[in-house]
């Protein structure tokens, strides 16, 4: 079956910093402990009010397990959809971004657990699946405000998670940040033209919302309140590709970093669109691919890097989700069959 044609946009990437050029340095992340799971690609990982881990895997299931990896169980199944970003709600339900069918869902894990069958399909409610009559394409990550308002990202209006690499290669900037009320309805577009909109977090007192632009190596910010309401700026420029984000108890914004910047990809973005069309036509093994590494960055509310934790990707790689809980960081991945756990450091190595 022929692939969808690429529509590349020529882009001159920002000059890489010294940290971006540093492919391998001294490891600053301890070797992770691995919690095996019964599925591939726990893209995001979150912790519920009882300290249990939740993650979604490629076959559509949402898994729940103890902090030590014990008692893994399926609490919901959205197949043929693909769960990406997750967000626990105060009432025990769970926001789920379906990255394959373009839906923002609210799932009740308790309803799934009550079924008592092997597939355990939890009660699933669609909060949003279209905008102005156009189906959403690639819902990625979500966060909830105190009043129940949901901020969520649509990574691409052209591609789904199964062809995420196409959007990065194309650089057409069709990502969006959207907002919807607690009971769903028609979403409101807050930002558009984003380069692979991904993780999303709210700032202190909800005065701003930040969104990771994976394809632009940065986290952008929209001010929601105060004298700067409506302004957009950059919270932090990054030495690699940012993915999902979360906020720790101390206010640190944790950013999952699947990979370094790729000099070959930077070069391709500068070239004639025909070159990238030719690259997209190649077998996947010959296309640019993420470098194996395990990496997260933590920044404060002003975008200053306070943790830069990285290690070799020999046991776990392509970190796409990060969550802080009880003195530990839990890491998700698009490709692994485990959740990784590392102790929370007292201080990290600053980025340059």
């Amino acid at each position: 079956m022929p692939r969808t044609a690429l529509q590349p946009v020529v882009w001159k990437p920002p000059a890489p910093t010294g940290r971006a050029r540093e492919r391998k340095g001294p490891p600053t992340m301890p070797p992770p402990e691995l919690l095996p799971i019964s599925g591939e690609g726990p893209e995001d990982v979150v912790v519920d009010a009882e300290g249990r881990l939740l993650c979604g895997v490629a076959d559509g299931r949402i898994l729940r397990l103890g902090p030590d990896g014990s008692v893994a169980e399926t609490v919901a199944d959205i197949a043929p959809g693909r769960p990406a970003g997750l967000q626990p709600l105060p009432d025990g339900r769970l926001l789920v971004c379906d990255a394959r069918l373009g839906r923002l869902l609210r799932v009740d894990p308790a309803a799934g657990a009550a079924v008592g069958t092997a597939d355990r399909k939890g009660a699933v409610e669609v909060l949003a699946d279209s905008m102005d009559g156009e189906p959403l394409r690639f819902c990625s990550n979500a966060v909830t405000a105190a009043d129940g308002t949901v901020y969520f990202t649509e990574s691409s209006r052209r591609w789904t998670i199964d062809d995420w690499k196409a959007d990065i290669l194309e650089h057409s900037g069709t990502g969006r940040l959207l907002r919807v009320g607690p009971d769903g309805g028609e979403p409101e577009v807050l930002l558009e033209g984003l380069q692979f909109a991904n993780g999303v977090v709210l700032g202190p007192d909800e005065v701003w919302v930040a969104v990771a632009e994976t394809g632009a190596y940065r986290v952008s910010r929209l001010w929601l309140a105060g004298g700067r309401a409506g302004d957009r700026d950059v919270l932090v420029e990054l030495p690699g590709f940012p993915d999902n984000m979360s906020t720790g108890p101390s206010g640190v914004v944790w950013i999952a970093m699947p990979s370094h910047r790729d000099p070959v990809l930077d070069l391709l973005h500068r070239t004639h669109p025909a070159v990238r069309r030719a690259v997209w036509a190649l077998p996947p093994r010959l296309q640019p691919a993420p470098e194996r590494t395990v990496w997260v960055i933590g920044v404060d509310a002003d975008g200053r890097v306070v943790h830069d934790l990285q290690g070799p990707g020999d046991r776990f790689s392509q970190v796409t989700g990060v969550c802080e809980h009880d003195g530990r960081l839990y890491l998700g991945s698009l490709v692994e069959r485990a959740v990784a756990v590392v102790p929370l450091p007292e201080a990290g190595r600053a980025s340059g």
Side-chain angles (χ1 to χ4, degrees):
M1 183 175 178
R3 292 178 176 175
T4 301
L6 221 62
Q7 298 178 7
V9 174
V10 175
W11 176 55
K12 184 179 179 181
T17 63
R19 181 66 179 94
R21 293 191 296 269
E22 184 184 323
R23 311 299 293 178
K24 293 182 180 180
T28 52
M29 178 183 286
E33 174 192 357
L34 301 186
L35 307 180
I37 58 173
S38 61
E40 180 181 321
E43 200 268 354
D44 196 15
V45 58
V46 296
V47 177
D48 69 12
E50 297 182 38
R52 299 170 297 188
L53 307 179
L54 291 151
C55 61
V57 291
D59 62 14
R61 290 176 299 140
I62 297 169
L63 308 179
R64 184 170 63 198
L65 56 158
D68 60 354
S70 62
V71 198
E73 59 180 335
T74 298
V75 296
D77 190 337
I78 66 166
R82 204 297 188 197
L86 308 176
Q87 172 68 34
L89 297 172
D91 62 5
R93 290 184 291 179
L94 185 70
L95 285 179
V96 179
C97 292
D98 183 346
R100 180 171 292 134
L101 301 183
R103 303 178 297 173
L104 176 67
L105 307 174
R106 186 161 53 198
V107 173
D108 187 352
V115 173
T117 59
D119 58 356
R120 290 187 175 179
K121 290 181 178 290
V124 177
E125 178 185 0
V126 178
L127 293 183
D129 61 3
S130 65
M131 175 72 195
D132 292 334
E134 175 189 343
L136 299 177
R137 188 71 172 160
F138 183 167
C139 291
S140 185
N141 201 236
V143 68
T144 310
D147 66 357
T149 298
V150 179
Y151 297 84
F152 69 103
T153 52
E154 183 182 24
S155 292
S156 174
R157 296 172 69 181
R158 288 180 34 76
W159 309 93
T160 72
I161 193 170
D162 299 307
D163 286 317
W164 63 267
K165 191 184 295 185
D167 193 89
I168 298 294
L169 192 61
E170 185 177 73
H171 203 80
S172 52
T174 63
R176 300 188 289 189
L177 173 66
L178 305 111
R179 176 170 61 189
V180 70
D183 296 319
E186 185 78 0
E188 173 190 3
V189 177
L190 298 181
L191 291 174
E192 54 189 344
L194 301 177
Q195 297 295 341
F196 202 98
N198 212 322
V200 57
V201 293
L202 286 163
D205 300 320
E206 302 180 359
V207 296
W208 50 256
V209 59
V211 54
E213 289 192 77
T214 304
Y217 319 125
R218 68 190 178 200
V219 175
S220 294
R221 177 170 55 182
L222 176 67
W223 292 83
L224 301 173
R228 299 190 62 184
D231 288 352
R232 173 181 174 181
D233 62 5
V234 174
L235 177 65
V236 60
E237 302 274 3
L238 293 161
F241 296 91
D243 205 288
N244 287 329
M245 303 190 294
S246 65
T247 305
S250 67
V252 172
V253 175
W254 290 105
I255 307 168
M257 302 289 293
S259 181
H260 286 278
R261 285 179 59 167
D262 184 338
V264 174
L265 183 62
D266 280 352
L267 177 62
L268 287 171
H269 278 135
R270 298 186 184 96
T271 60
H272 191 279
V275 177
R276 273 176 283 160
R277 293 193 188 101
V279 170
W280 179 235
L282 294 171
R285 69 180 185 279
L286 300 179
Q287 297 172 1
E291 180 181 1
R292 287 192 64 89
T293 188
V294 55
W295 190 13
V296 296
I297 285 177
V299 303
D300 65 16
D302 295 316
R304 292 186 292 261
V305 174
V306 294
H307 296 285
D308 184 354
L309 309 175
Q310 188 177 13
D314 51 349
R315 299 177 62 240
F316 192 87
S317 70
Q318 203 166 331
V319 176
T320 51
V322 55
C323 175
E324 177 186 343
H325 176 70
D326 197 22
R328 291 178 285 187
L329 294 176
Y330 293 91
L331 312 179
S333 168
L334 192 63
V335 297
E336 302 290 353
R337 297 183 69 89
V339 171
V341 189
V342 295
L344 182 68
E346 292 297 327
R349 182 164 62 95
S351 173

